[in-house]
Amino acid sequence: MTTIALNLQSVRQRMAAACAAAGRDVNEVTLLPVSKTFGPDAVRAAHAAGETAFGENYIQEAIEKQALLADLPLQWHCIGPIQSNKTRLVAAHFDWAHTVDRLKIAQRLSDQRPEHLPPLSVCIQVNIDGGPSKSGVTPGEVLALAREVAALPRLRLRGLMTIPEPAEGFEAQFAVHRQARLLYDQLRHAGLPLDTLSMGMTADLEAAVHAGSTMVRVGTAIFGSRKPDPGSSPG
């Protein structure tokens, strides 16, 4: 087995143990490998080990990688910031966008989504703990934005995404993730047909799974260490 395959096996075991501890079915939580800064060979190795969906932060890098992997049936998730001048690229080249935090961005994604493609799946990014360096709407702004995004014709609102500030220890991590789960439940209770809570990464996936995450975004534990890139979504 390749190193990446062995790492994936380890991560899947962590997820299974976390689900068992939380009394959840392991099939309720999806693994999204975060392949940013790693080349096509790394993605091919992960695909050979059973993965088909990948998260990318840098739009141009991702599109170049996609072209080199066009022979594989892959699903691509944009998990990095989306500026207005990049919405057309995201709309045309990705299956998911996790980081919608403004109506303007959502409108542009909807308007620019090619007609031959299915609606773009999107999550609203929430700054769940008020981190000063993090993007996302405040919890109080989510419901209004979610209703506006859900009404756009070429988007499919799937749920929420969070990147809380690093917290030490399971209990502190769980407390923050639990806030996101409660917010997600409130939106569903308000009638929004959500099915995705994208939260949890390499360092805190156990706490995220216990709190109710349905998708964990893991990079470092699968592909190895990378140079820090301030302001982006880590794995």
Side-chain angles (χ1 to χ4, degrees):
M1 295 177 74
T2 66
T3 299
I4 287 174
L6 288 169
N7 289 346
L8 275 166
Q9 187 177 68
S10 177
V11 170
R12 291 172 188 144
Q13 289 170 348
R14 284 178 63 188
M15 292 174 62
C19 286
R24 300 182 64 191
D25 187 320
V26 70
N27 295 317
E28 294 177 10
V29 188
T30 300
L31 172 62
L32 180 66
V34 178
S35 48
K36 68 171 185 181
T37 77
F38 291 95
D41 288 347
V43 175
R44 286 188 183 278
H47 176 265
E51 297 300 322
T52 58
F54 294 88
E56 292 280 339
N57 283 62
Y58 309 119
I59 293 164
Q60 197 60 50
E61 174 200 326
I63 291 171
E64 293 169 5
K65 203 178 298 184
Q66 289 168 15
L68 296 171
L69 295 164
D71 56 305
L72 298 181
L74 303 180
Q75 184 185 84
W76 295 96
H77 293 236
C78 179
I79 61 171
I82 304 173
Q83 305 300 328
S84 294
N85 63 348
K86 295 294 178 65
T87 53
R88 188 175 298 276
L89 292 174
V90 174
H93 292 278
F94 286 84
D95 302 288
W96 283 65
H98 287 230
T99 54
V100 171
D101 61 1
R102 288 173 287 160
L103 180 59
K104 174 185 176 182
I105 296 298
Q107 288 172 326
R108 289 176 65 89
L109 290 171
S110 179
D111 292 344
Q112 295 167 350
R113 181 68 167 173
E115 286 295 328
H116 70 280
L117 295 177
L120 179 69
S121 290
V122 301
C123 291
I124 293 175
Q125 184 173 352
V126 186
N127 188 351
I128 195 66
D129 57 351
S133 65
K134 302 298 183 183
S135 300
V137 298
T138 67
E141 298 171 317
V142 173
L143 178 58
L145 179 59
R147 284 176 167 154
E148 292 174 319
V149 172
L152 294 172
R154 300 290 296 140
L155 303 183
R156 179 184 172 192
L157 179 62
R158 302 296 295 267
L160 304 179
M161 179 268 221
T162 63
I163 313 173
E165 295 288 326
E168 289 296 326
F170 179 91
E171 292 301 330
Q173 295 167 354
F174 174 79
V176 176
H177 289 316
R178 185 61 180 163
Q179 293 177 43
R181 176 58 196 241
L182 292 173
L183 183 61
Y184 172 81
D185 288 343
Q186 289 171 13
L187 296 184
R188 284 170 53 88
H189 185 71
L192 291 160
L194 308 183
D195 62 8
T196 302
L197 185 53
S198 170
M199 67 181 187
M201 296 178 284
T202 293
D204 62 351
L205 74 84
E206 284 84 2
V209 168
H210 203 80
S213 174
T214 69
M215 184 180 291
V216 292
R217 309 179 306 272
V218 179
T220 303
I222 296 171
F223 297 106
S225 300
R226 58 173 73 90
K227 294 180 180 179
D229 43 7
S232 68
S233 165

